[in-house]
Amino acid sequence: MTNGDIKSVQGDTGHAEAEMVTDVYSEIIDEDRRFNAKKLEDEFYDSLKVTPIDDPVNDEEKLLVLLKNLSPEAKEKLLKSAISEC
């Protein structure tokens, strides 16, 4: 709940030492870290997934696959660049 702010937990629970907080609650923190690591991994690798089309056979199909797999930021930059060229 405190996003790892051990000193505030120490103060709120009345523990004299921060070490007491980490000893007592470290399992909870480890669970959060594992959850966050899994979430980051899932989101990162989802962004790298390729949207295949059946074996692109020509340059137009290869370009289509490339464009479909661009990040939203790259698509926006490409669109702005194309508009400015008009």
Side-chain angles (χ1 to χ4, degrees):
M1 290 176 16
T2 65
N3 295 319
D5 185 355
I6 293 170
K7 292 302 278 184
S8 69
V9 174
Q10 175 191 352
D12 291 345
T13 58
H15 295 300
E17 301 289 327
E19 185 177 281
M20 177 64 180
V21 174
T22 58
D23 289 346
V24 172
Y25 301 106
S26 65
E27 185 175 324
I28 295 170
I29 293 170
D30 287 344
E31 286 176 22
D32 290 343
R33 291 177 63 210
R34 282 191 291 276
F35 173 78
N36 289 333
K38 177 72 172 133
K39 184 177 175 184
L40 175 65
E41 179 180 327
D42 291 346
E43 289 181 16
F44 176 77
Y45 285 111
D46 278 349
S47 72
L48 297 178
K49 286 185 180 174
V50 174
T51 307
I53 60 174
D54 297 327
D55 294 323
V57 293
N58 58 40
D59 289 341
E60 289 82 12
E61 288 183 356
K62 290 176 185 176
L63 180 58
L64 180 60
V65 171
L66 176 67
L67 291 172
K68 283 183 176 182
N69 290 299
L70 286 176
S71 69
E73 295 83 12
K75 287 178 183 176
E76 183 179 350
K77 284 181 183 180
L78 181 62
L79 181 60
K80 285 180 180 178
S81 176
I83 291 172
S84 70
E85 294 292 321
C86 292

